[in-house]
Amino acid sequence: MTIQLNYQLHTSTLKHVKQLKPPLSATPQRSATFQVNAVAGKAQQLIQSGEVRPILAKDATSAMKSEGYKLVDIRPEWEWEKARVSGSLHVPLFVKDMDSSPITLLKKWVHFGYIGLWTGQNFTMINPDFLQQVEIEVPDKDTKLLVACGEGLRSVMAVSKLHEGGYRKLGWLAGGFNRAGDGDFPDVEGTEKLQYATIGGVSYYFLQLLILLKAVGS
């Protein structure tokens, strides 16, 4: 039941994204949006059909130890450095966009001017070598892979790309690391909890203040 509710939440979010229409003048953006929606739509079908197995954070360790799933963390480098599961494979689906063209610089200015300070996010692009890097690390495509990110949305895209690349024994960490409890992944490296590794910027300090207040009040 919980998996179904999580999945419905993500499906609802993705459907909402599909309904957003970019400006008529933004042809490149319209093309990119179509590609992202197509990938997300295919991933939904894979999960609904049972070809990709949704696995909750509380069941992930059991799936890895008892069923042989290998955890693939597809978060970007700066999230992975904060907190990561020991022994997991890290291949980022998104990497920092180093493009310095005028259009990209304008996008970066808007991004950091409005939300960068609050969220601490970097301007990113899809890693063009994602599939090849996974194939180098996991050449046997019969290997069971449990694909994970912070919220469960980026990993949906990664699952679709891996399935297209020939990997058929795929699991999806439903809800991502954000829904993990403190004991769900016993061996965690880094300075933060897995649940908070996606949060950055000013919002991170507000989170730390809330944690401190909770500790003082308890």
Side-chain angles (χ1 to χ4, degrees):
M1 178 60 71
T2 306
I3 291 178
Q4 183 179 3
L5 290 175
N6 285 337
Y7 173 71
Q8 289 175 346
L9 174 63
H10 293 303
T11 302
S12 175
T13 302
L14 292 169
K15 284 182 178 178
H16 177 70
V17 172
K18 292 182 181 181
Q19 292 172 356
L20 298 178
K21 294 183 179 180
L24 294 176
S25 60
T27 303
Q29 179 182 354
R30 195 162 59 241
S31 175
T33 301
F34 173 78
Q35 292 176 5
V36 170
N37 288 341
V39 171
K42 180 178 179 182
Q44 292 178 48
Q45 294 174 1
L46 291 173
I47 295 170
Q48 283 181 320
S49 67
E51 290 189 64
V52 171
R53 175 183 168 188
I55 299 175
L56 293 173
K58 67 182 182 66
D59 301 320
T61 297
S62 176
M64 289 186 287
K65 290 183 176 180
S66 302
E67 303 179 48
Y69 276 92
K70 184 174 185 62
L71 184 63
V72 181
D73 189 336
I74 60 93
R75 296 175 301 160
E77 186 75 23
W78 48 93
E79 291 182 27
W80 180 83
E81 287 179 347
K82 292 180 183 178
R84 55 202 174 272
V85 177
S86 301
S88 60
L89 172 64
H90 178 234
V91 181
L93 178 64
F94 288 90
V95 293
K96 190 172 182 178
D97 190 351
M98 304 302 292
D99 184 6
S100 59
S101 65
I103 295 296
T104 300
L105 289 175
L106 177 60
K107 289 180 180 179
K108 290 180 178 181
W109 178 83
V110 172
H111 178 81
F112 283 104
Y114 285 93
I115 68 171
L117 175 64
W118 179 256
T119 63
Q121 295 176 5
N122 292 284
F123 198 77
T124 60
M125 58 178 284
I126 291 181
N127 178 5
D129 302 319
F130 172 73
L131 180 59
Q132 290 81 357
Q133 290 173 357
V134 174
E135 289 174 334
I136 291 173
E137 297 291 338
V138 189
D140 183 1
K141 295 189 176 181
D142 285 328
T143 303
K144 293 182 178 180
L145 301 180
L146 175 55
V147 187
C149 69
E151 310 86 355
L153 294 177
R154 292 169 293 182
S155 53
V156 163
M157 297 179 61
V159 159
S160 181
K161 287 182 174 293
L162 291 172
H163 190 271
E164 286 183 356
Y167 291 92
R168 291 295 182 265
K169 298 179 180 179
L170 296 170
W172 168 61
L173 188 67
F177 290 126
N178 288 7
R179 292 184 177 271
D182 289 342
D184 289 343
F185 295 93
D187 299 319
V188 177
E189 301 174 352
T191 58
E192 304 294 337
K193 291 184 178 182
L194 279 171
Q195 304 96 304
Y196 307 146
T198 304
I199 303 172
V202 174
S203 58
Y204 170 77
Y205 295 103
F206 272 89
L207 173 64
Q208 294 300 310
L209 177 60
L210 288 173
I211 293 173
L212 176 61
L213 291 175
K214 182 178 179 181
V216 172
S218 58

